Amino acid sequence: MLWVALATAIMLLSGELTREADDGTTLARLLEALRKSTIQDVTDAQRRAAALRALEGFELGLSAYRRQIATFKACIAAADGKYNATKADYDACQAPVEAERANLRQSLVAAQSAYEASVTEAERAHVAQTVLAMSEAKLLDAAQASAAYHPVASRARGLEGVVSERHMTLPRNVVAIMYGPLSSSTFGQRFPSRIVDGGTSYAHQDQARADATGSPPDLWNMRGGVRVGMFDDFEAGALFMPLQLGPKFKFDPVSIFFTQQFRFHGVDLAVRASFQTPGDTGWGIAPGTFLAFPGKRLALRTGVVLPMEVGTLRKKMSPVVGLNVPVRVTWNVVPSFFLSADSGVAYDRLATKGGLEVPLGFGTGYSLLAGSKLIDITALFSWDHWLSPAPQHGSAQLDWQAYRIAFGASLYFQAL
Amino acid sequence: MLFWRALVGRVGLGVGLGVAACSHPPPRLSVELSARATAKAGVVSLVVADPVRAERLHAIYLEVVTLAHELDRSRLAARAQCRAQPERRAKGAAANDPIVSGALECLLAPPSGESRALVDRYALLMLEARALLTQREFEKLARMR
């Protein structure tokens, strides 16, 4: 209910609901204005009463119009939901509309004549002037409305099922309860002091690396949150349940992200602004630009992220800036099952010499439809510091000891 | 005090969002048809294992979106056509009058014209979709919206 309300409020504020609504509400406002203006402008009581009776004819007409539309839509929806439906079921929806509309037309013509007879030309001009001054009056100019009609090519609003076909942002009104790795919003979220991903994760590193980075050798985390497609290509989200389970239980910083996407033919360009609430290293900021190539079976994602940890006003520190160029290839073996490989280049602290690293990770996931909801069960195994091609001392080295396992499930549904 | 303010603020926001959710006007037929089709289009590959059938179904659902735009266009065209009929062509000041010019009549009871043919086309697409789906697949997709 919360998501439905939020989606409705966003659509209401952006004017989308008005654009998608039928004309009933606008027509009701026009008739209301006609009634008010007639009461005000028609001076003779007898003629005024006759004019208002004629307007009642239009009001009844509006009720009939609304009823016809609602009945017709319900009839089509019922036919759509029936597996054994035939052409006759759809025809049965259309037939009564024709007859009812012909009757309605006759009664409206009668009401029109009655109104014309009861109101003088000067009074009619006054009433028309009042009504035409309303913004709703543009509905009355049918020729202009027809000429000005250009359908807006908007993004399809339903859930995107096959992982390799998904875009960087969720479609409008789609909500994801995130509790698993490999989601778009955590792609490339590698800060100098921590890697942020959804789900339950266990990270292991040897004592030497633990001493160097200041993080424990065995680390358990649990991160959950939500993503919402707010507009066609704009998504907002947060991992607001970030817990460190071990070696010591504590709350980690909350991650918040906003992504704007630009869709081109076969390529998506996305810009993400993400930040973390202050933790041990203060605020974390990670602006990034991404390129995604969705495909039927194979998808490629890459990007450039500039993560930094900048301290806080109270706890000042020199900003730690990194650079991260993640790459992910996703292969949908079948539409519901995928494998993925992650790599790229990461430089967690640009100020430190020889810090360039190449991570290597493998993921997998299964997409499951449950009613109107989609569940992604995902898992990831990653060597986040796999290769150091040019360390400060010595030659290139591989680190198989530092690894991370993450797993979880994310739930997607359409809010409206 | 702060707690009560926060509580009142949240309740207010909740009520506001709730009212917004309940008070919006009903969508047009084209919007509903389009929404039902797009809700299925994205997940059809997860429901229908056969790629050939899945692809055709996907194409059908996308065609419904185009058809929905056509429905909107035809609705507006029918109203414009209704207004242009000689018996409704009011002269002088009456041409601007919402009632005498026949504008309201054309809005409330426009001729069906092309939209009937478009709904027929929609029905045929939906019947073709059924022919491509087993009952179980159909029911799974129907649950999407």
Side-chain angles (χ1 to χ4, degrees), chain A residues 260-271:
Chain A
Q260 172 66 51
Q261 172 183 267
F262 305 93
R263 276 174 299 125
F264 302 101
H265 188 69
V267 187
D268 298 336
L269 172 70
V271 181

Side-chain angles (χ1 to χ4, degrees), chain A residues 217-236:
Chain A
D218 296 289
L219 186 66
W220 282 92
N221 279 103
M222 212 172 107
R223 292 192 181 92
V226 70
R227 295 164 63 198
V228 188
M230 300 185 86
F231 297 101
D232 275 355
D233 290 290
F234 181 79
E235 172 192 297

